[in-house]
Amino acid sequence: MATTDDSINGLTEYCDDCELNTLHEVSVQIRTESVKKENAQFSREPYRVCECQRCGNRSSQRMNNA
Ligand SMILES: [Zn+2]
């Protein structure tokens, strides 16, 4: 078993741009969204952001499906 000191939050996922499985750096971003204009409420939604380490393509996906 090989161990790496590299504690990058890497994950192998399919990249649409590369059209193959590549290493992605995964992070979580909190974005503020306005829900409705009427009540002027904001919700803070966590997004999972994946960045392809090969081509730099980023994709984000909402973590809460409310
Ligand atoms: Zn890619």
Coordinates of all heavy atoms in Angstrom, one line a residue:
M1 N 0.8 -1.2 0.0 CA 0.0 0.0 0.0 C 0.9 1.3 0.0 O 1.8 1.4 0.8 CB -0.9 0.0 1.2 CG -2.1 -0.9 1.2 SD -3.6 -0.1 0.6 CE -4.0 0.9 2.0
A2 N 0.6 2.1 -0.9 CA 1.3 3.4 -1.0 C 0.6 4.4 -0.2 O -0.6 4.5 -0.3 CB 1.5 3.8 -2.4
T3 N 1.3 5.2 0.5 CA 0.7 6.3 1.3 C 1.2 7.6 0.7 O 2.4 7.7 0.3 CB 1.0 6.2 2.8 OG1 2.4 6.0 2.9 CG2 0.3 5.1 3.4
T4 N 0.4 8.6 0.7 CA 0.8 9.9 0.2 C 0.6 10.9 1.3 O -0.3 10.8 2.1 CB 0.0 10.3 -1.0 OG1 -1.4 10.0 -0.8 CG2 0.4 9.6 -2.3
D5 N 1.5 11.8 1.4 CA 1.4 12.9 2.4 C 0.5 14.0 1.8 O 0.1 14.9 2.5 CB 2.8 13.5 2.7 CG 3.7 12.5 3.4 OD1 3.1 11.8 4.2 OD2 4.9 12.5 3.2
D6 N 0.3 13.9 0.6 CA -0.6 14.8 -0.1 C -2.0 14.7 0.4 O -2.7 13.7 0.1 CB -0.6 14.5 -1.6 CG -0.3 15.7 -2.4 OD1 -0.5 16.8 -2.0 OD2 0.3 15.5 -3.5
S7 N -2.4 15.6 1.3 CA -3.8 15.4 1.8 C -4.8 16.3 1.1 O -5.7 16.9 1.6 CB -3.8 15.7 3.3 OG -3.4 17.0 3.5
I8 N -4.5 16.4 -0.2 CA -5.5 17.1 -1.1 C -6.8 16.3 -1.1 O -6.8 15.1 -1.0 CB -4.9 17.3 -2.5 CG1 -5.5 18.6 -3.1 CG2 -5.3 16.1 -3.4 CD1 -4.8 18.9 -4.4
N9 N -7.9 17.1 -1.1 CA -9.2 16.4 -1.0 C -9.5 15.9 -2.4 O -10.5 16.4 -3.0 CB -10.2 17.5 -0.5 CG -11.3 16.8 0.3 OD1 -11.3 15.6 0.5 ND2 -12.2 17.6 0.7
G10 N -8.7 15.0 -2.9 CA -8.9 14.6 -4.2 C -9.9 13.4 -4.4 O -10.0 12.6 -3.5
L11 N -10.5 13.4 -5.5 CA -11.5 12.4 -5.8 C -11.5 12.1 -7.3 O -11.4 13.1 -8.1 CB -12.9 13.0 -5.4 CG -13.9 12.0 -5.0 CD1 -13.6 11.4 -3.6 CD2 -15.3 12.7 -4.9
T12 N -11.6 10.9 -7.6 CA -11.6 10.6 -9.1 C -13.0 10.6 -9.5 O -13.9 9.8 -9.0 CB -10.9 9.3 -9.4 OG1 -9.6 9.3 -8.9 CG2 -10.9 9.0 -10.8
E13 N -13.3 11.5 -10.4 CA -14.7 11.6 -11.0 C -14.6 11.8 -12.5 O -13.6 12.2 -13.0 CB -15.4 12.8 -10.3 CG -15.9 12.5 -8.9 CD -16.8 13.6 -8.4 OE1 -17.3 14.4 -9.2 OE2 -17.1 13.5 -7.2
Y14 N -15.7 11.6 -13.1 CA -15.8 11.8 -14.6 C -15.8 13.2 -14.9 O -16.6 14.0 -14.3 CB -17.0 11.0 -15.1 CG -17.0 11.0 -16.6 CD1 -16.2 10.2 -17.3 CD2 -17.8 12.0 -17.3 CE1 -16.3 10.2 -18.7 CE2 -17.9 12.0 -18.7 CZ -17.1 11.1 -19.4 OH -17.1 11.1 -20.8
C15 N -15.0 13.7 -15.8 CA -15.0 15.0 -16.3 C -15.6 15.1 -17.7 O -15.1 14.3 -18.6 CB -13.6 15.6 -16.3 SG -13.5 17.3 -17.0
D16 N -16.6 15.9 -17.9 CA -17.2 16.0 -19.2 C -16.3 16.6 -20.3 O -16.3 16.3 -21.4 CB -18.5 16.9 -19.1 CG -19.6 16.2 -18.4 OD1 -19.7 15.0 -18.5 OD2 -20.4 16.9 -17.8
D17 N -15.4 17.5 -19.8 CA -14.5 18.1 -20.7 C -13.4 17.2 -21.2 O -13.0 17.1 -22.3 CB -13.9 19.4 -20.1 CG -14.8 20.6 -20.2 OD1 -16.0 20.3 -20.5 OD2 -14.4 21.7 -20.1
C18 N -12.8 16.5 -20.2 CA -11.7 15.5 -20.5 C -12.3 14.2 -21.1 O -11.6 13.5 -21.8 CB -10.9 15.2 -19.3 SG -10.1 16.6 -18.5
E19 N -13.5 14.0 -20.9 CA -14.2 12.8 -21.3 C -13.5 11.5 -20.7 O -13.4 10.5 -21.4 CB -14.3 12.7 -22.8 CG -15.2 13.8 -23.3 CD -15.5 13.7 -24.8 OE1 -14.5 13.4 -25.5 OE2 -16.6 13.9 -25.2
L20 N -13.0 11.7 -19.5 CA -12.5 10.5 -18.8 C -12.5 10.8 -17.3 O -12.8 11.9 -16.9 CB -11.1 10.2 -19.3 CG -10.0 11.2 -19.6 CD1 -9.3 11.7 -18.4 CD2 -9.1 10.7 -20.6
N21 N -12.1 9.8 -16.5 CA -12.1 10.0 -15.1 C -10.8 10.7 -14.7 O -9.7 10.2 -15.1 CB -12.2 8.6 -14.4 CG -13.6 8.1 -14.5 OD1 -14.6 8.8 -14.2 ND2 -13.7 6.8 -14.9
T22 N -10.9 11.8 -14.0 CA -9.7 12.5 -13.6 C -9.8 12.9 -12.2 O -10.9 12.7 -11.5 CB -9.7 13.9 -14.4 OG1 -10.8 14.6 -14.1 CG2 -9.6 13.6 -15.9
L23 N -8.7 13.3 -11.6 CA -8.7 13.7 -10.2 C -9.4 15.1 -10.1 O -9.1 16.0 -10.8 CB -7.2 13.8 -9.8 CG -7.0 14.1 -8.3 CD1 -7.5 12.9 -7.4 CD2 -5.6 14.4 -8.0
H24 N -10.2 15.2 -9.1 CA -10.9 16.4 -8.9 C -10.6 16.9 -7.4 O -10.6 16.0 -6.5 CB -12.4 16.2 -9.0 CG -12.9 16.2 -10.4 ND1 -12.7 15.1 -11.3 CD2 -13.6 17.1 -11.2 CE1 -13.2 15.4 -12.4 NE2 -13.8 16.5 -12.4
E25 N -10.5 18.1 -7.3 CA -10.4 18.7 -5.9 C -11.8 19.1 -5.5 O -12.5 19.9 -6.2 CB -9.4 19.9 -6.0 CG -9.1 20.3 -4.6 CD -8.2 21.5 -4.5 OE1 -7.3 21.6 -5.4 OE2 -8.4 22.4 -3.7
V26 N -12.2 18.6 -4.4 CA -13.5 18.9 -3.9 C -13.5 19.8 -2.7 O -12.8 19.6 -1.8 CB -14.2 17.5 -3.5 CG1 -15.6 17.8 -3.1 CG2 -14.2 16.6 -4.7
S27 N -14.4 20.8 -2.8 CA -14.5 21.7 -1.7 C -16.0 22.1 -1.5 O -16.8 21.9 -2.4 CB -13.6 23.0 -1.8 OG -14.0 23.6 -3.0
V28 N -16.3 22.6 -0.3 CA -17.6 23.0 -0.1 C -17.7 24.5 0.1 O -16.9 25.1 0.8 CB -18.2 22.3 1.2 CG1 -19.5 22.8 1.6 CG2 -18.2 20.8 1.0
Q29 N -18.6 25.1 -0.6 CA -18.8 26.6 -0.6 C -20.2 26.9 -0.1 O -21.1 26.2 -0.4 CB -18.7 27.1 -2.0 CG -17.6 28.0 -2.3 CD -17.5 28.4 -3.8 OE1 -18.6 28.5 -4.4 NE2 -16.4 28.6 -4.3
I30 N -20.2 27.9 0.8 CA -21.6 28.3 1.2 C -21.9 29.6 0.4 O -21.2 30.5 0.3 CB -21.5 28.7 2.7 CG1 -21.0 27.6 3.6 CG2 -22.9 29.2 3.2 CD1 -21.9 26.4 3.6
R31 N -23.1 29.4 -0.3 CA -23.5 30.6 -1.1 C -24.8 31.1 -0.5 O -25.7 30.3 0.0 CB -23.8 30.1 -2.5 CG -22.5 29.7 -3.2 CD -22.8 29.5 -4.7 NE -21.7 28.9 -5.3 CZ -21.7 28.4 -6.6 NH1 -22.8 28.5 -7.3 NH2 -20.7 27.9 -7.1
T32 N -24.9 32.4 -0.5 CA -26.2 33.0 -0.1 C -27.1 33.2 -1.2 O -26.8 33.8 -2.2 CB -25.8 34.3 0.6 OG1 -24.8 34.1 1.6 CG2 -27.1 34.9 1.3
E33 N -28.3 32.7 -1.0 CA -29.3 32.9 -2.1 C -30.5 33.6 -1.5 O -30.9 33.3 -0.4 CB -29.8 31.5 -2.5 CG -28.7 30.6 -3.2 CD -29.3 29.3 -3.7 OE1 -30.3 28.9 -3.1 OE2 -28.7 28.8 -4.6
S34 N -31.1 34.4 -2.3 CA -32.3 35.0 -1.9 C -33.4 34.0 -2.3 O -33.5 33.5 -3.4 CB -32.5 36.3 -2.6 OG -32.5 36.2 -3.9
V35 N -34.3 33.8 -1.3 CA -35.4 32.8 -1.5 C -36.5 33.5 -2.3 O -36.8 33.1 -3.4 CB -35.9 32.3 -0.2 CG1 -36.9 31.2 -0.4 CG2 -34.7 31.7 0.6
K36 N -37.1 34.5 -1.7 CA -38.1 35.2 -2.4 C -38.0 36.7 -2.1 O -37.5 37.1 -1.1 CB -39.5 34.8 -1.9 CG -40.0 33.5 -2.6 CD -41.3 33.1 -2.1 CE -41.8 31.8 -2.7 NZ -43.0 31.3 -2.0
K37 N -38.3 37.5 -3.1 CA -38.2 38.9 -2.9 C -39.1 39.4 -1.8 O -38.8 40.3 -1.1 CB -38.6 39.7 -4.2 CG -37.4 39.7 -5.2 CD -37.7 40.6 -6.4 CE -36.6 40.6 -7.4 NZ -36.9 41.2 -8.6
E38 N -40.3 38.8 -1.8 CA -41.3 39.3 -0.8 C -40.9 39.3 0.6 O -41.0 40.3 1.3 CB -42.6 38.5 -1.0 CG -43.2 38.5 -2.4 CD -43.7 37.2 -2.8 OE1 -44.1 36.4 -2.0 OE2 -43.7 36.9 -4.0
N39 N -40.4 38.2 1.1 CA -40.0 38.1 2.5 C -38.6 38.5 2.7 O -38.1 38.5 3.9 CB -40.4 36.8 3.1 CG -39.8 35.6 2.3 OD1 -38.9 35.8 1.5 ND2 -40.4 34.5 2.6
A40 N -37.9 38.8 1.7 CA -36.5 39.2 1.8 C -35.6 38.3 2.6 O -34.8 38.8 3.4 CB -36.4 40.7 2.2
Q41 N -35.9 37.0 2.5 CA -35.1 36.1 3.3 C -34.0 35.5 2.5 O -34.1 35.4 1.3 CB -36.0 35.0 3.8 CG -36.5 35.1 5.2 CD -37.2 33.9 5.7 OE1 -37.3 32.9 5.0 NE2 -37.6 33.9 6.9
F42 N -32.9 35.2 3.1 CA -31.8 34.6 2.5 C -31.5 33.3 3.1 O -31.5 33.1 4.3 CB -30.6 35.6 2.6 CG -30.8 36.8 1.8 CD1 -31.3 37.9 2.4 CD2 -30.4 36.9 0.5 CE1 -31.5 39.1 1.7 CE2 -30.6 38.0 -0.2 CZ -31.1 39.2 0.4
S43 N -31.2 32.4 2.3 CA -30.8 31.1 2.8 C -29.4 30.9 2.4 O -28.9 31.3 1.3 CB -31.7 30.0 2.3 OG -31.5 29.8 0.9
R44 N -28.6 30.2 3.2 CA -27.3 29.9 2.9 C -27.2 28.4 2.5 O -27.4 27.6 3.4 CB -26.4 30.3 4.1 CG -26.5 31.7 4.4 CD -25.3 32.3 5.1 NE -25.0 31.6 6.3 CZ -23.8 31.8 6.9 NH1 -23.0 32.8 6.5 NH2 -23.5 31.1 8.0
E45 N -26.8 28.2 1.3 CA -26.8 26.9 0.8 C -25.4 26.4 0.6 O -24.6 27.0 0.0 CB -27.6 26.8 -0.5 CG -29.0 27.3 -0.5 CD -29.9 26.3 0.3 OE1 -29.5 25.1 0.4 OE2 -31.0 26.7 0.7
P46 N -25.1 25.2 1.1 CA -23.8 24.6 0.8 C -23.8 24.0 -0.6 O -24.7 23.3 -1.0 CB -23.7 23.5 1.9 CG -25.0 23.2 2.3 CD -25.9 24.3 1.9
Y47 N -22.7 24.3 -1.3 CA -22.5 23.8 -2.6 C -21.2 22.9 -2.6 O -20.2 23.3 -2.0 CB -22.3 24.9 -3.7 CG -23.6 25.4 -4.2 CD1 -24.4 26.3 -3.4 CD2 -24.1 25.0 -5.4 CE1 -25.6 26.8 -3.9 CE2 -25.3 25.5 -5.9 CZ -26.0 26.4 -5.2 OH -27.2 26.9 -5.6
R48 N -21.3 21.9 -3.3 CA -20.1 21.0 -3.4 C -19.4 21.4 -4.7 O -20.1 21.3 -5.8 CB -20.6 19.6 -3.5 CG -19.5 18.5 -3.5 CD -20.2 17.2 -3.4 NE -19.2 16.1 -3.6 CZ -18.9 15.6 -4.8 NH1 -19.4 16.1 -5.9 NH2 -18.0 14.6 -4.8
V49 N -18.2 21.9 -4.7 CA -17.5 22.4 -5.9 C -16.4 21.4 -6.2 O -15.6 21.1 -5.4 CB -17.0 23.8 -5.6 CG1 -16.3 24.3 -6.9 CG2 -18.0 24.7 -5.2
C50 N -16.4 20.9 -7.4 CA -15.4 20.0 -7.9 C -14.6 20.7 -9.0 O -15.2 21.2 -9.9 CB -16.1 18.8 -8.6 SG -16.8 17.7 -7.4
E51 N -13.3 20.6 -8.9 CA -12.5 21.2 -9.9 C -11.6 20.1 -10.5 O -10.8 19.5 -9.7 CB -11.6 22.3 -9.3 CG -10.9 23.1 -10.4 CD -10.1 24.3 -9.8 OE1 -10.5 24.9 -8.9 OE2 -9.0 24.5 -10.3
C52 N -11.7 20.0 -11.8 CA -10.9 19.0 -12.4 C -9.4 19.4 -12.4 O -9.1 20.5 -12.7 CB -11.3 18.9 -13.9 SG -10.3 17.8 -14.9
Q53 N -8.5 18.5 -11.9 CA -7.1 18.9 -11.8 C -6.4 18.7 -13.1 O -5.2 19.0 -13.2 CB -6.5 18.0 -10.7 CG -7.1 18.2 -9.3 CD -6.9 19.6 -8.8 OE1 -5.9 20.0 -8.5 NE2 -8.0 20.3 -8.8
R54 N -7.1 18.3 -14.1 CA -6.5 18.1 -15.4 C -6.7 19.3 -16.3 O -5.8 19.9 -16.9 CB -7.0 16.9 -16.1 CG -6.3 16.4 -17.3 CD -6.7 15.1 -17.7 NE -6.0 14.6 -18.9 CZ -6.5 14.8 -20.2 NH1 -7.6 15.4 -20.4 NH2 -5.8 14.4 -21.2
C55 N -8.0 19.7 -16.4 CA -8.4 20.8 -17.3 C -8.9 22.1 -16.6 O -9.0 23.1 -17.1 CB -9.4 20.4 -18.3 SG -11.0 20.2 -17.6
G56 N -9.1 21.9 -15.3 CA -9.5 23.1 -14.5 C -11.0 23.4 -14.6 O -11.5 24.4 -14.0
N57 N -11.8 22.5 -15.2 CA -13.2 22.6 -15.3 C -13.9 22.5 -13.9 O -13.5 21.6 -13.1 CB -13.8 21.6 -16.2 CG -15.3 21.7 -16.4 OD1 -15.8 22.8 -16.6 ND2 -16.0 20.6 -16.3
R58 N -14.7 23.4 -13.6 CA -15.4 23.4 -12.3 C -16.9 23.1 -12.5 O -17.5 23.6 -13.4 CB -15.3 24.8 -11.7 CG -14.0 25.0 -11.0 CD -14.1 26.3 -10.3 NE -13.0 26.4 -9.3 CZ -13.1 27.2 -8.2 NH1 -14.2 27.9 -8.0 NH2 -12.1 27.3 -7.4
S59 N -17.3 22.3 -11.6 CA -18.8 22.1 -11.5 C -19.2 22.2 -10.1 O -18.5 21.8 -9.2 CB -19.1 20.7 -12.1 OG -18.5 19.7 -11.4
S60 N -20.4 22.7 -9.9 CA -20.9 22.8 -8.5 C -22.3 22.2 -8.5 O -23.0 22.2 -9.4 CB -20.9 24.3 -8.0 OG -21.6 25.1 -8.9
Q61 N -22.6 21.8 -7.3 CA -23.8 21.1 -7.1 C -24.3 21.4 -5.7 O -23.6 21.4 -4.8 CB -23.5 19.6 -7.3 CG -24.5 18.6 -6.9 CD -24.0 17.2 -7.0 OE1 -22.8 16.9 -7.3 NE2 -24.9 16.2 -6.8
R62 N -25.6 21.7 -5.7 CA -26.2 22.0 -4.4 C -26.3 20.7 -3.5 O -26.6 19.7 -4.0 CB -27.6 22.5 -4.7 CG -28.2 23.3 -3.6 CD -29.4 23.9 -4.1 NE -30.2 24.6 -3.2 CZ -31.2 25.4 -3.5 NH1 -31.5 25.5 -4.7 NH2 -31.8 26.0 -2.6
M63 N -25.9 20.9 -2.3 CA -25.9 19.7 -1.4 C -27.3 19.5 -0.8 O -27.7 18.3 -0.5 CB -24.9 19.8 -0.3 CG -23.5 19.8 -0.9 SD -22.2 20.1 0.3 CE -22.0 18.5 1.1
N64 N -28.0 20.5 -0.5 CA -29.3 20.4 0.1 C -30.4 20.4 -1.0 O -30.5 21.4 -1.7 CB -29.6 21.5 1.0 CG -28.9 21.4 2.3 OD1 -28.3 20.3 2.6 ND2 -28.8 22.4 3.1
N65 N -31.2 19.4 -1.1 CA -32.3 19.4 -2.0 C -33.6 19.7 -1.2 O -34.3 18.7 -0.8 CB -32.4 18.1 -2.8 CG -31.2 18.0 -3.7 OD1 -30.8 18.9 -4.4 ND2 -30.7 16.8 -3.8
A66 N -33.8 20.9 -0.9 CA -34.9 21.3 -0.1 C -36.2 21.2 -0.9 O -36.2 21.6 -2.0 CB -34.7 22.7 0.5
Ligands
ZN1 ZN -11.3 17.8 -17.0

